Amino acid sequence: MSKRKSKDAHLPVGECITQLQEILRKRLCHQQLPDRPEGVEAQHKHLLELLKRTAVHGESNSVLIVGPRGAGKTMLLKCVLRDLLEETEAQTNLLQVHLNGLLQTNDRIALQEITRQLHLENVVGDKVFGSFAENLAFLLEALKKGDRSSSRPVLFVLDEFDLFAHHKNQTLLYNLLDVSQSAQAPIAVVGTTCRLDVLELLEKRVKSRFSHRQIHLLNNPTFTQYLERVQTQLSLSDDFPDNKFSRDWNASIETLCEDKSVAEVLQRHFNSSKDFRSMHMLLMLCLSRVSAAKPAIRPADLLEASKMCFADAKANMLHGLSILELCLIIAMKHLNDVYEGEPFNLQMVHNEFKKFLQRKSNSMYNFEQPVIMKAFEHLQQLEMIRPVDSSVVKTQREYRLMRLMLDHSQVMEALQKYPQCPTDVKQWAMSAFG
Amino acid sequence: TPCRATPSIPSRSRPARLPANVLEEARTRLHVSSVPESLPCREQEFQDIYSFVESKIVDGTGGCMYISGVPGTGKTATVHEVMRCLQHAADVDEIPPFHFIEINGMKMTDPHQAYVQVLQKLTGQKSTADHAAALLEKRFSNPAPRKETTVLLVDELDLLWTRKQNVMYNLFDWPTRRHARLVVLTIANTMDLPERIMINRVASRLGLTRMSFQPYSFKQLQQIIMSRLNKVKAFEEDALQLVSRKVAALSGDARRCLDICRRATEICEHSSADSHSTGLVGMSHVMEALNEMFSSAYITAIKCASVQEQLFLRAVIAEFRRLGLEEATFQQVFVQHQALCRVEGLQPASVSEGLAVCQRLGACRLLLLEPSRLGVLQRVRLNVSQDDVLYALKAD
């Protein structure tokens, strides 16, 4: 630990790094809200206007935010809510109910949650009283009593909207949308989903009550914007306590982004997916390599992190297999080649393996049947192979039909990297047909 | 639990703002919730239902009526209007007084809750479903002096279906009792519901008094909007006609029509701030609103997809062409994918990466996938037509 000098404005490097890690972690992992949403200004304005009209004028509305995973749907909604609540008129009036399709898995739970969040009269403490039917009647009664100009508007946010459409009869959706289309308490129903075909999931009468407003969030950044985003995500702002450190850091990030190899790596990530969440994952891996001894991200760090992201899972698993298991996999590959993807059983694999052993003078791998069976079962446990039909006890283990769950390229790649792979096994694998 | 709680949403601290300009006024009027006093274009249906219910009330007998029609054609609104008019007539002593109650199949958790709700609306009593059924049975089969006619509206009738159909049976059987004085109006979407799902003794009790609401034609839709606007001049004539023609061609759903008009006023408001406009909603605004609400996002989604995702879609189509089928395993598609990568001069993707790309496309339903634990053996199908994919990938 370096001693802190009281008159020096500069913090010690260790301190700076700790602060830097804290700030950037918050940004990358905790999905910190940006000051202004980027690239979605039109959608932001549309949603803000809509919710404002509900909060201020008491107009009932319904809207769906649709976009692929990691496109910033929740971020947009949170930004809009933050901006909306800055107005005192909205702040004092708006009631919010947040539901999530993954938590509220049926209407009964969802209804209890709504009642609880609205603090209706049948709630005492955190407990909701009454049966499911009573709760529904109670909630509908409460909403019916309200009217446009006098009762407080309620905002319903339904995360994972498509899961609500799988509830029985879609009762909850029907009732919420029905209230939004009739002269009762003003409500706004906002759903977020990643399914583009979400309207086809709705029943006809539910669909008719939905206002068909959809906000599509399809982020389509160019590569330059993507690079800029990387830079802004990593850069420190002016209010960092140590100015010199933040200047150095920002300069180092700038040089990093101008590096050729870095741009290449980022281009590959960009080609694979445009969403920012996978980029954050990559940056997080880079950031974890920054320490007091190495206070900057180097291109090599990014290359390492990228290699980690793109590693093939099954090929990695193949590295950990024994020679016998590898031989069985090669035999399966040959069977697949000869019989064009027909399923096989243990006997066929064993025969294929025996053929290989006969051609060789020394029979170093001449194992007993039970050993082979054990290896075969281990492969099944790793889900490298998979039974064709899932019936468990009908046939004996030796004669159950299996399929190989690997691509040939994976087998070949694993063989190349296998530590100390015997040459004859390698040659056998390379040979075209057994 | 408090047994007689008065449920309510807390009231707001200051009243809602009133509409300030013409467009806002129009928007308020166009909201689906602001139902006008008299529904245009449903005069015939109104008359039929009115005379049916009126005759039953005057005679002191009972009966059933089945009303069908696609959503958004004004079924429930018409019945409510009939009831309002009859109530008014009863108030001025033209007809004997009656009792109107309403239940909705979608607003109950279970078909048997219908008994509970009917009983509660008739007498204010709370009870279990079985007990309520017994009480109602007694009430409708025994004579009582000075009994009023009850009009029961059953909305979303198909939800009251149970395996033994006893809820429906009771609802249709009570009106046939001598002392019941019950008129049941039932509403559902499909015309052939009685023949399709009801057993004979239930369908026969429902009887043959049927009425079906046709989808609105474009002229009717136009008239509906005009009557809603009621001299508030916010739309150009052509714009209104375009909306009504489009909606009439697709579904004839009045809700859709009103929603589009409302969205058009918003678009108009946004554009009037920066350009020279007349302040009226014109063709361009309506076109934009129509596009927003009717267009599917598949093509834009494909255009916005990353390079690998687009390549994967192309590989899927290439594999389909090779096989002559509309389905392929991931393994087969992946071979094509790698070939395409080499053609495009990209680094070939690993299997894990390919699977991730495939899953992403599956999550937003551009592809239909089997469960992902099947790994490379999972089968892939397209959820969009091949032409759409090719169009989206070509049009750059």
Side-chain angles (χ1 to χ4, degrees):
Chain A
M1 283 295 287
S2 54
K3 269 183 253 164
R4 179 177 296 185
K5 292 165 195 158
S6 56
K7 290 195 178 169
D8 201 343
H10 301 313
L11 298 170
V13 180
E15 191 91 349
C16 285
I17 295 284
T18 316
Q19 292 226 4
L20 167 89
Q21 296 266 19
E22 197 176 320
I23 291 171
L24 290 189
R25 281 219 175 107
K26 214 177 256 169
R27 214 181 274 169
L28 297 176
C29 302
H30 291 221
Q31 317 277 329
Q32 202 181 27
L33 288 186
D35 295 330
R36 299 190 40 72
E38 287 163 38
V40 289
E41 284 82 8
Q43 286 94 331
H44 181 263
K45 194 175 170 200
H46 183 177
L47 193 59
L48 183 61
E49 288 284 314
L50 197 74
L51 294 186
K52 204 183 267 176
R53 277 208 307 280
T54 300
V56 176
H57 294 278
E59 184 182 291
S60 294
N61 280 308
S62 50
V63 65
L64 270 180
I65 308 175
V66 186
R69 297 233 175 259
K73 301 181 286 293
T74 310
M75 192 268 294
L76 173 73
L77 188 60
K78 279 185 179 162
C79 278
V80 166
L81 280 181
R82 183 189 60 189
D83 295 349
L84 182 69
L85 292 182
E86 276 169 13
E87 274 188 51
T88 46
E89 198 169 344
Q91 201 179 10
T92 49
N93 283 330
L94 195 66
L95 298 168
Q96 293 184 34
V97 177
H98 292 263
L99 301 176
N100 190 321
L102 292 169
L103 296 175
Q104 281 78 41
T105 47
N106 62 33
D107 282 346
R108 179 193 302 263
I109 304 173
L111 213 60
Q112 283 194 350
E113 187 63 22
I114 293 174
T115 340
R116 200 182 60 75
Q117 290 189 24
L118 280 179
H119 300 293
L120 290 184
E121 287 84 349
N122 55 347
V123 179
V124 177
D126 255 357
K127 245 176 108 60
V128 179
F129 286 98
S131 68
F132 179 31
E134 276 171 353
N135 276 340
L136 179 67
F138 202 83
L139 176 70
L140 292 177
E141 192 66 28
L143 288 169
K144 207 170 172 181
K145 253 198 180 168
D147 71 20
R148 183 181 173 134
S149 50
S150 66
S151 54
R152 288 174 74 175
V154 190
L155 169 68
F156 287 92
V157 177
L158 307 179
D159 268 327
E160 311 288 348
F161 183 82
D162 48 318
L163 297 180
F164 285 99
H166 293 305
H167 292 184
K168 190 183 161 234
N169 290 342
Q170 307 188 342
T171 311
L172 181 75
L173 289 186
Y174 177 91
N175 285 312
L176 286 184
L177 292 174
D178 194 53
V179 171
S180 84
Q181 297 252 307
S182 51
Q184 304 180 3
I187 68 167
V189 182
V190 182
T192 65
T193 175
C194 65
R195 285 181 67 158
L196 293 171
D197 63 347
V198 61
L199 283 189
E200 288 159 36
L201 295 175
L202 297 181
E203 251 194 88
K204 239 185 345 201
R205 49 191 149 216
V206 182
K207 195 173 166 185
S208 167
R209 281 168 175 78
F210 172 59
S211 75
H212 281 63
R213 270 172 212 270
Q214 294 189 61
I215 297 179
H216 290 287
L217 274 187
L218 301 161
N219 55 353
N220 191 15
T222 60
F223 182 59
T224 5
Q225 284 168 340
Y226 190 79
L227 262 182
E228 271 169 28
R229 171 92 184 200
V230 171
Q231 198 171 336
T232 49
Q233 281 294 313
L234 285 178
S235 299
L236 287 172
S237 60
D238 295 332
D239 51 4
F240 192 74
D242 187 340
N243 271 328
K244 183 173 173 302
F245 179 83
S246 76
R247 233 178 300 124
D248 287 350
W249 172 263
N250 286 348
S252 79
I253 293 300
E254 207 165 311
T255 47
L256 178 79
C257 288
E258 279 159 9
D259 192 285
K260 269 275 165 52
S261 59
V262 168
E264 239 166 64
V265 168
L266 288 177
Q267 177 80 52
R268 183 150 181 237
H269 277 268
F270 178 71
N271 281 349
S272 152
S273 139
K274 285 177 180 172
D275 80 51
F276 291 130
R277 205 174 282 167
S278 61
M279 179 182 85
H280 287 179
M281 197 76 113
L282 178 75
L283 298 183
M284 199 52 216
L285 284 175
C286 298
L287 186 70
S288 62
R289 288 160 193 272
V290 174
S291 62
K294 199 164 72 64
I297 298 178
R298 295 195 205 113
D301 295 333
L302 197 75
L303 294 185
E304 282 285 304
S306 158
K307 208 177 273 173
M308 217 186 262
C309 285
F310 278 123
D312 190 75
K314 280 279 167 65
N316 278 348
M317 277 164 76
L318 284 172
H319 290 181
L321 294 184
S322 68
I323 292 284
L324 173 62
E325 284 155 352
L326 198 65
C327 285
L328 290 184
I329 291 221
I330 292 168
M332 290 170 199
K333 171 186 168 285
H334 285 321
L335 282 174
N336 261 347
D337 282 342
V338 175
Y339 300 113
E340 285 177 348
E342 287 298 307
F344 48 79
N345 60 24
L346 175 61
Q347 288 300 321
M348 293 162 77
V349 176
H350 197 182
N351 280 342
E352 192 72 24
F353 185 42
K354 270 189 210 151
K355 268 197 253 167
F356 163 62
L357 293 180
Q358 277 162 13
R359 264 180 288 143
K360 249 165 30 86
S361 51
N362 65 333
S363 48
M364 211 170 86
Y365 314 119
N366 207 350
F367 295 106
E368 301 287 319
Q369 169 89 3
V371 182
I372 304 253
M373 164 88 87
K374 190 84 192 159
F376 197 71
E377 276 178 354
H378 186 221
L379 288 179
Q380 192 182 339
Q381 272 170 3
L382 293 175
E383 295 206 359
M384 301 259 183
I385 52 177
R386 174 182 183 83
V388 173
D389 52 346
S390 49
S391 58
V392 189
V393 276
K394 265 186 202 157
T395 41
Q396 277 177 288
R397 280 180 295 181
E398 292 93 322
Y399 306 109
R400 286 188 79 184
L401 289 177
M402 299 286 202
R403 273 186 205 282
L404 183 62
M405 304 244 303
L406 296 169
D407 197 56
H408 288 183
S409 60
Q410 285 173 309
V411 180
M412 300 320 272
E413 191 196 328
L415 268 174
Q416 300 299 336
K417 290 183 190 157
Y418 195 85
Q420 291 155 4
C421 181
T423 324
D424 44 356
V425 172
K426 223 179 220 172
Q427 277 169 351
W428 177 46
M430 297 297 178
S431 65
F433 289 106
Chain B
T1 169
C3 57
R4 288 276 168 174
T6 49
S8 65
I9 298 287
S11 57
R12 44 197 298 160
S13 53
R14 59 185 88 180
R17 238 185 258 167
L18 291 172
N21 58 29
V22 179
L23 282 176
E24 281 181 18
E25 174 78 33
R27 203 177 299 138
T28 325
R29 286 166 170 277
L30 284 173
H31 198 280
V32 185
S33 67
S34 55
V35 182
E37 297 81 50
S38 82
L39 286 171
C41 315
R42 288 293 179 217
E43 290 83 10
Q44 185 58 48
E45 284 85 353
F46 174 85
Q47 202 51 53
D48 288 354
I49 300 175
Y50 188 92
S51 47
F52 175 81
V53 180
E54 189 191 24
S55 67
K56 299 288 181 214
I57 293 175
V58 171
D59 297 349
T61 54
C64 292
M65 185 178 201
Y66 177 72
I67 302 169
S68 65
V70 292
T73 46
K75 301 181 293 293
T76 312
T78 307
V79 173
H80 277 152
E81 200 195 331
V82 168
M83 284 305 137
R84 254 201 324 272
C85 289
L86 283 170
Q87 204 76 59
H88 181 74
D91 286 346
V92 297
D93 277 341
E94 279 174 17
I95 55 170
F98 65 97
H99 208 81
F100 173 57
I101 51 178
E102 161 177 28
I103 57 173
N104 185 326
M106 272 299 230
K107 295 190 179 175
M108 326 174 189
T109 52
D110 179 87
H112 296 284
Q113 288 292 319
Y115 299 131
V116 180
Q117 295 204 358
V118 170
L119 185 72
Q120 190 177 11
K121 281 169 183 164
L122 272 178
T123 63
Q125 238 173 316
K126 258 187 176 179
S127 69
T128 61
D130 290 339
H131 188 54
L135 286 177
L136 286 174
E137 180 75 35
K138 209 161 98 191
R139 183 187 163 100
F140 287 125
S141 44
N142 293 333
R146 298 208 302 144
K147 187 142 87 176
E148 290 182 347
T149 302
T150 310
V151 182
L152 172 63
L153 169 62
V154 185
D155 215 340
E156 314 289 1
L157 177 72
D158 46 329
L159 267 298
L160 294 183
W161 187 89
T162 51
R163 217 158 49 79
K164 284 178 148 179
Q165 308 199 357
N166 45 5
V167 178
M168 280 195 209
Y169 178 83
N170 277 333
L171 282 180
F172 302 145
D173 190 42
W174 289 331
T176 61
R177 311 274 169 84
R178 242 181 78 209
H179 307 291
R181 292 189 153 207
L182 178 67
V183 183
V184 179
L185 302 173
T186 56
I187 299 184
N189 289 142
T190 45
M191 202 148 76
D192 59 343
L193 188 79
E195 284 74 35
R196 212 154 35 83
I197 67 168
M198 292 182 199
I199 49 179
N200 285 336
R201 61 193 162 97
V202 176
S204 115
R205 275 173 176 78
L206 173 58
L208 292 171
T209 321
R210 310 258 174 101
M211 170 180 290
S212 74
F213 279 60
Q214 298 304 318
Y216 287 115
S217 71
F218 92 89
K219 280 217 172 103
Q220 290 173 323
L221 286 174
Q222 206 172 349
Q223 203 182 332
I224 289 172
I225 307 175
M226 294 296 272
S227 78
R228 287 264 177 142
L229 284 173
N230 192 19
K231 296 196 192 90
V232 174
K233 183 69 183 149
F235 277 82
E236 286 171 16
E237 285 288 318
D238 298 350
L240 277 189
Q241 199 171 79
L242 179 68
V243 175
S244 32
R245 275 186 191 271
K246 276 269 188 189
V247 174
L250 273 165
S251 60
D253 187 337
R255 291 197 187 104
R256 195 75 327 101
C257 205
L258 295 170
D259 281 331
I260 292 169
C261 288
R262 212 149 58 83
R263 176 70 188 132
T265 59
E266 284 168 28
I267 294 173
C268 177
E269 201 162 33
H270 287 305
S271 62
S272 68
D274 49 54
S275 72
H276 53 286
S277 64
T278 52
L280 289 185
V281 182
M283 283 294 244
S284 57
H285 307 129
V286 169
M287 278 305 276
E288 201 180 325
L290 281 168
N291 278 339
E292 245 176 53
M293 290 185 163
F294 283 135
S295 70
S296 86
Y298 288 118
I299 290 181
T300 358
I302 295 173
K303 277 186 187 163
C304 292
S306 71
V307 177
Q308 292 280 0
E309 286 160 7
Q310 291 183 344
L311 270 188
F312 194 84
L313 285 173
R314 269 171 48 187
V316 170
I317 289 184
E319 188 60 23
F320 284 178
R321 292 219 170 129
R322 192 182 71 85
L323 294 171
L325 296 171
E326 293 283 284
E327 188 178 87
T329 65
F330 173 79
Q331 204 162 13
Q332 291 168 323
V333 175
F334 188 65
V335 174
Q336 298 276 358
H337 183 75
Q338 286 199 312
L340 277 175
C341 276
R342 286 196 201 94
V343 171
E344 297 283 322
L346 295 168
Q347 212 169 349
S350 66
V351 178
S352 291
E353 198 187 337
L355 271 173
V357 166
C358 181
Q359 290 305 330
R360 272 203 296 275
L361 290 173
C364 57
R365 294 298 148 135
L366 285 169
L367 295 179
L368 296 175
L369 302 174
E370 283 188 300
S372 60
R373 58 186 304 249
L374 291 174
V376 295
L377 298 178
Q378 65 184 312
R379 284 194 288 262
V380 177
R381 273 187 298 151
L382 274 179
N383 196 22
V384 231
S385 77
Q386 294 196 11
D387 295 335
D388 281 0
V389 178
L390 290 176
Y391 169 76
L393 293 177
K394 218 173 278 172
D396 281 330

